[in-house]
Amino acid sequence: MHTPDDAFVHLALLRHAGERPQAPFLLGASGVSYGEAAQWIGRLLASGLLPGRGEAAAIWMDKGNGYALAVLAALFAGNRYLPLDGAQPVERAGTIVADAGARVLIADSAHAAQWLSGAATTPLDCLIVIDDAPFPQPPRLSCPVRKLGARLYELPAAGAGALANGDPPGSADDVAALLYTSGSTGQPKGVQLSHRNLASFVGWSTRTLDLRDSDRLLNLASFNFDLSTFDLFASLRAGASLYVTDEAESRQVARIADILVQQHISVMYSVPSMLALLDRAGAWECLGAAAPRCIVFAGEVMPKPQLRAMARALPEGCRLYNFYGPTETNVCLFHRVTAADLRSDDPLPIGRPVSAAEVWLQDDCGKPLTAAGAIGEIWVRGACVTPGYWRRDDDPNTPNHRAGMHATGDYGELVDGSFVYRGRKDRMLKLNGYRVELGEIEAALARHPAVHEVAVLAHAGEEGAAPGLHAWYVTRPGEEAVPVLELKRFCADLLPRYMIPNRMIRIDALPRTPNGKADYRRLQQQLRQGEAK
């Protein structure tokens, strides 16, 4: 029999606030207990400032406990929450708020001041400012502003009781969140996550990782990134504790290593790029017995040398998982790393379907592929598939979403019952008549013992010349730049000649997107600027 918080992830707060109000929920700063979280949300709901059921509540703040509480408050109000990355320009934030149709914005003082500076022209019904910082309001306001303190749970207001007696949840198919991605054209587009999507993922991940109320999780991802749905809602489902890194902490590798030890973090979910930075800083060796019991990675390919280095440094009992899935499916495949994976040079599998997914391969003509060795596009069907993009009826994937399916744009192969990632359709190109997958080149270069990270892009040749391949690489600590001839000889043992980059440059660090992934768009810009000179 399902309980209400099985279908609506935020309702777990009621249970924990009622049964164990003093238990820690949000760590860091002064900390917030489950009971205080209920009081905080109850106070905001009692203010009557949040929009009506089914409307969007935008959140634009620096990361922290207040951001997490604002997300939950929006859900308790029956809103779809619209998380905005705190580091993005106000113009882009305004574009997203307008596209989502949000009329209420929850912000801290710094972001509220940016919004009111005149740079954002999107009209609002109310701007809710939640922190204790001074907030000088400009003489002419573009919208009503209500300033509330950061410690709302200290104010007299209805708490968990008011939440429990409020309006009942709507349908599990209602939209719970709008997560805006950059989109291939650079125009932000919102992926809709329903309550059913969230509940399906949170229930599966909580069971798979055996989360319990004694666990302490670490949030590194921005709240507009789908990895954060695990951090916040799986913690809540299990009654566990969550440390939400602030903007500065999430950019400081040494600080993250300190947090892992000081906060006794037991479960960590991150992109491989961040784990690579921790590895490069020697963090795993320093953790010792304080290492997490479970580390999950997703969002990028995990290079085997990096995986082996991390596994060697961590205690034998630490479980490692590879999660796979675009934002449109959250997680649809998973694989627990084995000793055989660490011995093999083969790519790490992205695994088998989660309980709410059916996954298959399909060729370019729409025909399912089942033969051994066949490579096709990964397609997904099931409760993990989101309702699609907000106001994007013309998107090529929209008909699939209406049928409960998603074409991932990734190529895969089925090997011994597990899916193996074989590259992106949009990173597959033809060079001199040959099909080239840039990710395969990156994987080969990453096997060099001196190489820590690598990114490869195609670049246009000079007039009349064929296109070429350009590689940027980061060396492991203490390693010098590798001679180009040595790298080419190394690649020659792993790749055909036409896939060996003709340009290889060592850099101190790869540029990163706000979500911590390698920023190929910025690298492409640098490449074009270099060619233009």
Side-chain angles (χ1 to χ4, degrees):
M1 180 177 178
H2 293 289
T3 58
D5 58 316
D6 285 332
F8 299 91
V9 291
H10 60 287
L11 295 185
L13 177 64
L14 296 175
R15 174 162 50 88
H16 299 306
E19 296 175 357
R20 27 201 301 274
Q22 302 305 317
F25 174 33
L26 299 174
L27 306 169
S30 57
V32 180
S33 70
Y34 275 96
E36 289 171 333
Q39 289 284 353
W40 195 103
I41 295 168
R43 173 61 178 166
L44 183 53
L45 294 184
S47 72
L49 298 175
L50 291 178
R53 177 174 296 280
E55 297 184 45
I59 306 168
W60 194 32
M61 310 168 70
D62 283 339
K63 280 184 64 201
N65 291 347
Y67 205 128
L69 292 171
V71 167
L72 293 174
L75 291 174
F76 271 102
N79 307 145
R80 54 182 186 271
Y81 77 90
L82 173 64
L84 304 170
D85 185 82
Q88 68 187 315
V90 65
E91 292 85 354
R92 188 174 190 274
T95 297
I96 293 174
V97 169
D99 186 76
R103 304 287 301 187
V104 171
L105 175 64
I106 305 171
D108 53 28
S109 292
H111 289 89
Q114 288 187 58
W115 188 272
L116 295 172
S117 67
T121 58
T122 305
L124 293 175
D125 293 336
C126 185
L127 174 58
I128 306 171
V129 184
I130 301 182
D131 64 11
D132 296 320
F135 178 63
Q137 296 188 13
R140 292 184 179 181
L141 295 176
S142 57
C143 62
V145 176
R146 287 291 303 275
K147 181 78 159 66
L148 304 175
R151 302 171 67 85
L152 296 181
Y153 49 78
E154 293 183 346
L155 301 176
L163 300 187
N165 295 326
D167 292 338
S171 166
D173 292 319
D174 289 345
V175 177
L178 286 176
L179 304 184
Y180 272 75
T181 67
S182 62
S184 58
T185 64
Q187 179 67 25
K189 63 180 180 180
V191 178
Q192 304 176 84
L193 270 67
S194 69
H195 287 281
R196 189 183 306 278
N197 297 146
L198 287 177
S200 174
F201 169 60
V202 169
W204 169 82
S205 59
T206 302
R207 294 189 302 271
T208 300
L209 302 182
D210 189 27
L211 296 185
R212 57 204 75 154
D213 59 15
S214 59
D215 276 319
R216 297 166 74 89
L217 282 68
L218 176 64
N219 161 255
L220 294 170
S222 170
F223 281 106
N224 71 315
F225 192 25
D226 55 354
L227 267 70
S228 69
T229 61
F230 169 81
D231 302 330
L232 179 57
F233 299 122
S235 298
L236 190 58
R237 170 65 66 85
S241 305
L242 175 66
Y243 188 97
V244 180
T245 56
D246 62 30
E247 301 288 345
E249 288 174 331
S250 63
R251 295 190 295 268
Q252 299 176 23
V253 177
R255 176 60 184 143
I256 293 171
D258 289 341
I259 292 169
L260 288 169
V261 175
Q262 295 166 2
Q263 295 294 334
H264 307 286
I265 299 300
S266 60
V267 179
M268 178 182 182
Y269 188 23
S270 179
V271 293
S273 298
M274 175 54 71
L275 300 179
L277 293 175
L278 287 165
D279 176 38
R280 198 172 180 213
W284 306 128
E285 290 83 353
C286 298
L287 293 181
R293 70 173 181 86
C294 183
I295 296 178
V296 183
F297 44 88
E300 295 173 304
V301 172
M302 169 62 83
K304 272 296 182 68
Q306 179 185 319
L307 178 64
R308 291 191 185 106
M310 184 170 66
R312 283 195 301 267
L314 291 167
E316 187 175 346
C318 179
R319 292 185 290 164
L320 303 175
Y321 287 88
N322 188 17
F323 282 7
Y324 164 85
T327 302
E328 293 86 348
T329 71
N330 203 326
V331 174
C332 59
L333 296 169
F334 78 106
H335 175 76
R336 180 174 175 180
V337 178
T338 66
D341 292 325
L342 298 174
R343 291 192 298 267
S344 169
D345 286 332
D346 293 336
L348 184 67
I350 51 179
R352 299 172 184 266
V354 303
S355 58
E358 176 189 354
V359 184
W360 70 97
L361 301 178
Q362 195 164 292
D363 67 15
D364 292 339
C365 297
K367 180 182 177 182
L369 299 172
T370 57
I375 294 178
E377 185 177 7
I378 300 172
W379 281 65
V380 187
R381 176 192 290 118
C384 65
V385 177
T386 71
Y389 308 115
W390 177 256
R391 293 177 177 171
R392 293 292 188 277
D393 290 341
D394 58 346
D395 190 273
N397 240 323
T398 295
N400 300 324
H401 294 154
R402 287 173 178 158
M405 302 185 297
H406 179 69
T408 65
D410 290 335
Y411 285 123
E413 180 183 1
L414 197 56
V415 179
D416 297 329
S418 286
F419 287 87
V420 177
Y421 175 77
R422 295 301 189 196
R424 283 287 301 170
K425 290 182 71 174
D426 55 13
R427 298 201 75 214
M428 190 80 70
L429 63 147
K430 284 287 189 72
L431 286 179
N432 299 320
Y434 295 100
R435 192 178 79 167
V436 174
E437 165 51 48
L438 299 179
E440 184 180 354
I441 304 172
E442 291 172 347
L445 274 169
R447 289 172 61 176
H448 191 285
V451 173
H452 186 62
E453 291 182 286
V454 62
V456 177
L457 287 174
H459 65 84
E462 297 181 4
E463 187 173 354
L469 297 170
H470 189 113
W472 295 264
Y473 69 94
V474 179
T475 55
R476 293 189 170 277
E479 297 284 353
E480 299 294 332
V482 185
V484 172
L485 184 58
E486 178 183 334
L487 284 176
K488 289 191 174 185
R489 285 173 175 166
F490 181 83
C491 289
D493 292 333
L494 303 171
L495 299 169
R497 180 177 297 178
Y498 61 83
M499 291 180 67
I500 298 175
N502 56 322
R503 300 184 187 180
M504 300 186 188
I505 295 179
R506 176 182 180 267
I507 55 177
D508 293 334
L510 293 177
R512 302 288 176 194
T513 68
N515 294 331
K517 297 182 181 181
D519 193 336
Y520 287 99
R521 186 171 295 174
R522 201 185 320 171
L523 288 172
Q524 191 71 65
Q525 290 173 348
Q526 294 175 7
L527 198 55
R528 288 171 181 160
Q529 291 168 358
E531 290 171 351
K533 294 178 181 179

